[in-house]
Amino acid sequence: MLRASHIERGLHYSVLTVISLFMMVPFLWMVSTSLKEPAKIFVFPPELLPSPVRWANYSEVLKTIPFHLFYFNSVYIAILVTAGTAFFASLAGYAFARIEFKGRHVVFLLLLSTMMIPNEVTAIPMFLFMRELGWINTHLPLIILPIFGAGGVFAVFIMRQFFISAPKELEEAAMIDGCSRWRTYWNIMLPLAKPAVATLTIFTFLTVWNDFFDPLIFINARKLMTLPLALSLFTDEAGTAWHHLMSASVMATFPLLIVFFFAQKQFIEGVSMTGLKE
Amino acid sequence: MTNKKVNRLSREANLTGWLFVSPMVLGFILLLLVPLLTAFYMSLTDWPLLGEARFIGFDNYATIMSDADFWKVLGNTLAFAAGLVPLNIVLALLLALLLSKNFAGMGWFRTAIFVPVMTSLIVWSIVWKYMFATDSGFINQVLQVIGIQGPAWLYNPNLAMPAVIVTSVLKNVGLNMVLFIAALQQVPVHLYEAAKIDGSGRTRTFFQVTIPMITPTIFLTVIMTIIGSLKVFGQIYVMTQGGPSGSTKVLVYYIWEKAFKLYEFGYASSLAYILFFIVMGLTLVQWQLRKRWVFHEN
């Protein structure tokens, strides 16, 4: 006999399945198209499993555009920004939380008050400033701005919250033993902050890897482009080669999905811990 | 401790403290504060790409008020927000309710809904642009299977904006969902037990226990989602370039166009400052209303 709870469970699963499918269809279609022959893209009815499977789309992307360069640019910029953010933000966050220096409350409040400033508001003077410095068409703005700009301020806030609630005993013991502030921070407190740093690392990497607005403004030269910028330019060209664009998109998406697969728990905890939004 | 020693210690703390925060503070001054003030000054000038900047007071703002394009763009931006925010919040809350308790397959569902959040907005928009394509698009191909001739989604002024809104909701609903799951799990179990003893039905419990207990999160997500939707840019840039016939041209796209395509830096700065004022206004409202609206236990 069907009981109310069975019907309910069935309903529960069906609603979730339909919504999840909606979420996954773009990915399935992307992978599917990335393996199609150009002539088969317009075939009706649509084929989800292409036959024959055309792996050459992937190697052709690597041949027709300097895809490896875009990839390299994205990877090294994301790594530098992530490391820089973790270091400078944890250093400042620790000082704001644990060192009683004059003016810290005022400075921290000032930092906090600017956290909601949209990137787009400061973009125009920043463009002129970078032009003065001769940094347009270099990677420097893409590395410096996220570390010390609004993203960095947010990271300081997260680190300060963590250090404020971290246990005091170890730190006090270290200070009594004559550890310098630097060593207390570097050898005792930073290792203690691993969960917070991990959350911050994943977030920063994701944000930088996917950033679009800054590269669009600061980079014109083809060989300096990052993945999102390079991919977006494909859609401009008349007669898009969808099979190539889709295989490039798969390659740009895959590393993050792998990272996410392994860091899932930390990532989702990070979102709920920080209430972070893009 | 002697006074001397205390003084020495506090002097040391002052020095190290400032040393530790100086890189961030210096960056903050140079990369946030100075540009913010410069942007305001620029908004009071006629600032072409080449040639001299000319101080013109609030003329740009006056021009904006009589700029028909601006009002259309603002209307589009508000339409985007008005479509996106309720859809996003309701769907996120529904998903959180369905996914807040453990059951077989929960991890898979959560992952499926969260993966788009991880994906680059640009890749997501490119794929959806392709899904919405008139002939080769997945959506119209599926419609054709059931005998419907699909429209030219992104080339129809009435359909382009809804298409972008749905795409954007699916991209980011996972973020709000996770926040709601966290909030739901923090509702004390004894409140549900009490409601049960009182004989409350499920609907009543939902509106009288669950909703009031998660208002802080609802409030935060609503404000943040509104702010996020006022800054929409990437999906517009990729999917429609503001078209067809300006029907999806939003505020940030207009700012970008004025500044970096037409090099009207002064005018664009005024537009940017209008965005700044709106976002600041919302942030202040959030702080003010928080006290009245948000329910705290006890």
Side-chain angles (χ1 to χ4, degrees):
Chain A
M1 207 178 80
L2 262 178
R3 289 225 311 269
S5 67
H6 283 130
I7 297 175
E8 197 178 295
R9 196 184 303 162
L11 203 68
H12 190 167
Y13 274 105
S14 355
V15 171
L16 281 174
T17 309
V18 169
I19 298 175
S20 310
L21 267 180
F22 246 91
M23 296 297 200
M24 295 321 285
V25 160
F27 292 102
L28 298 175
W29 196 235
M30 170 172 83
V31 174
S32 161
T33 306
S34 77
L35 295 169
K36 281 179 186 168
E37 294 190 330
K40 286 261 184 152
I41 289 173
F42 302 93
V43 158
F44 178 84
E47 283 181 340
L48 205 52
L49 285 172
S51 72
V53 171
R54 190 167 190 271
W55 293 103
N57 288 341
Y58 283 81
S59 52
E60 278 167 17
V61 167
L62 299 176
K63 274 178 220 152
T64 49
I65 56 170
F67 199 70
H68 61 287
L69 266 184
F70 305 149
Y71 226 99
F72 173 77
N73 293 339
S74 272
V75 169
Y76 104 91
I77 290 173
I79 288 177
L80 280 186
V81 172
T82 305
T85 303
F87 176 68
F88 288 112
S90 65
L91 194 63
Y94 170 71
F96 280 126
R98 287 299 173 84
I99 305 178
E100 284 176 23
F101 61 97
K102 248 188 214 139
R104 65 177 174 147
H105 294 296
V106 179
V107 177
F108 185 69
L109 269 179
L110 202 64
L111 280 182
L112 261 195
S113 67
T114 57
M115 222 161 64
M116 289 306 292
I117 295 175
N119 207 6
E120 294 79 6
V121 175
T122 50
I124 298 165
M126 202 53 85
F127 172 78
L128 296 178
F129 186 36
M130 294 297 156
R131 202 177 57 175
E132 284 303 307
L133 292 173
W135 285 8
I136 300 292
N137 264 327
T138 73
H139 285 151
L140 286 168
L142 305 188
I143 295 165
I144 308 272
L145 289 183
I147 298 180
F148 298 105
V153 170
F154 184 78
V156 171
F157 175 69
I158 296 296
M159 291 314 297
R160 177 182 174 270
Q161 293 308 95
F162 178 85
F163 282 122
I164 275 184
S165 55
K168 283 206 162 92
E169 295 78 19
L170 268 174
E171 190 188 18
E172 277 165 1
M175 300 285 275
I176 289 166
D177 284 350
C179 260
S180 67
R181 271 291 179 185
W182 167 259
R183 280 201 56 195
T184 313
Y185 155 75
W186 186 254
N187 290 343
I188 313 274
M189 295 306 276
L190 195 57
L192 216 61
K194 250 185 212 155
V197 173
T199 302
L200 210 59
T201 300
I202 298 174
F203 264 120
T204 313
F205 195 92
L206 176 77
T207 312
V208 179
W209 181 267
N210 289 339
D211 184 29
F212 176 66
F213 196 74
D214 284 355
L216 180 69
I217 290 170
F218 297 118
I219 304 293
N220 300 310
R222 227 176 167 178
K223 62 178 196 318
L224 292 175
M225 286 179 180
T226 53
L227 282 169
L229 184 59
L231 289 180
S232 79
L233 293 183
F234 273 101
T235 60
D236 277 353
E237 291 158 16
T240 308
W242 285 112
H243 56 302
H244 285 157
L245 189 54
M246 290 299 120
S247 47
S249 300
V250 170
M251 289 189 268
T253 308
F254 224 71
L256 269 194
L257 294 191
I258 292 171
V259 171
F260 177 65
F261 187 78
F262 289 107
Q264 208 182 127
K265 207 169 151 255
Q266 214 134 36
F267 195 99
I268 290 188
E269 270 168 15
V271 174
S272 36
M273 180 179 99
T274 59
L276 183 91
K277 300 275 298 183
E278 264 174 67
Chain B
M1 266 192 280
T2 61
N3 262 347
K4 225 175 175 180
K5 199 170 175 199
V6 171
N7 275 340
R8 192 175 58 80
L9 277 179
S10 76
R11 221 179 314 127
E12 226 174 75
N14 279 338
L15 188 68
T16 5
W18 277 101
L19 217 60
F20 275 33
V21 300
S22 59
M24 282 312 300
V25 170
L26 219 65
F28 160 79
I29 292 171
L30 284 177
L31 305 178
L32 269 172
L33 221 50
V34 170
L36 192 67
L37 297 175
T38 315
F40 185 65
Y41 173 71
M42 289 180 81
S43 79
L44 306 176
T45 65
D46 181 15
W47 194 307
L49 176 64
L50 304 164
E52 290 288 295
R54 205 161 48 86
F55 187 82
I56 54 168
F58 285 92
D59 280 9
N60 282 330
Y61 292 94
T63 316
I64 288 172
M65 290 304 126
S66 55
D67 174 358
D69 282 350
F70 167 74
W71 291 107
K72 177 154 197 216
V73 162
L74 190 66
N76 288 340
T77 313
L78 296 179
F80 179 82
L84 178 119
V85 177
L87 265 180
N88 186 321
I89 299 293
V90 170
L91 186 59
L93 190 54
L94 172 76
L95 287 168
L97 286 168
L98 292 176
L99 288 168
S100 60
K101 289 194 190 78
N102 259 313
F103 60 93
M106 181 201 70
W108 284 103
F109 287 124
R110 278 191 189 180
T111 307
I113 289 150
F114 200 77
V115 156
V117 176
M118 302 279 306
T119 311
S120 142
L121 178 64
I122 298 309
V123 168
W124 183 256
S125 306
I126 289 171
V127 176
W128 272 99
K129 186 186 182 186
Y130 175 46
M131 303 259 297
F132 277 122
T134 314
D135 301 316
S136 57
F138 181 81
I139 293 171
N140 281 355
Q141 287 196 352
V142 169
L143 286 177
Q144 208 173 330
V145 173
I146 52 174
I148 298 172
Q149 178 62 50
W153 297 94
L154 297 176
Y155 296 96
N156 180 328
N158 296 320
L159 294 175
M161 186 60 103
V164 175
I165 289 174
V166 168
T167 310
S168 311
V169 169
L170 294 178
K171 165 82 173 72
N172 275 328
V173 73
L175 265 183
N176 285 340
M177 175 193 76
V178 170
L179 293 176
F180 283 136
I181 289 178
L184 287 173
Q185 285 170 346
Q186 273 160 20
V187 178
V189 181
H190 68 83
L191 289 182
Y192 288 121
E193 282 160 1
K196 210 172 192 177
I197 292 167
D198 288 349
S200 276
R202 293 240 302 252
T203 321
R204 235 188 101 185
T205 309
F206 177 71
F207 283 108
Q208 296 196 338
V209 177
T210 313
I211 290 282
M213 289 306 294
I214 63 170
T215 40
T217 307
I218 295 181
F219 195 66
L220 175 81
T221 49
V222 167
I223 293 278
M224 296 301 279
T225 310
I226 295 177
I227 292 178
S229 64
L230 295 176
K231 298 195 286 180
V232 53
F233 177 75
Q235 51 271 64
I236 301 288
Y237 181 92
V238 170
M239 291 177 72
T240 64
Q241 299 269 322
S245 53
S247 61
T248 60
K249 195 183 276 186
V250 289
L251 191 50
V252 174
Y253 194 88
Y254 194 48
I255 295 173
W256 171 78
E257 204 175 56
K258 285 283 184 204
F260 301 105
K261 275 180 102 173
L262 304 168
Y263 298 108
E264 294 173 24
F265 290 132
Y267 196 75
S269 295
S270 319
L271 290 168
Y273 246 81
I274 290 177
L275 174 68
F276 173 72
F277 288 136
I278 300 176
V279 171
M280 281 300 120
L282 279 170
T283 309
L284 289 178
V285 167
Q286 180 190 0
W287 281 109
Q288 284 306 311
L289 278 184
R290 225 185 146 90
K291 294 167 202 155
R292 282 189 223 166
W293 220 91
V294 171
F295 179 87
H296 292 288
E297 210 183 355
N298 304 324

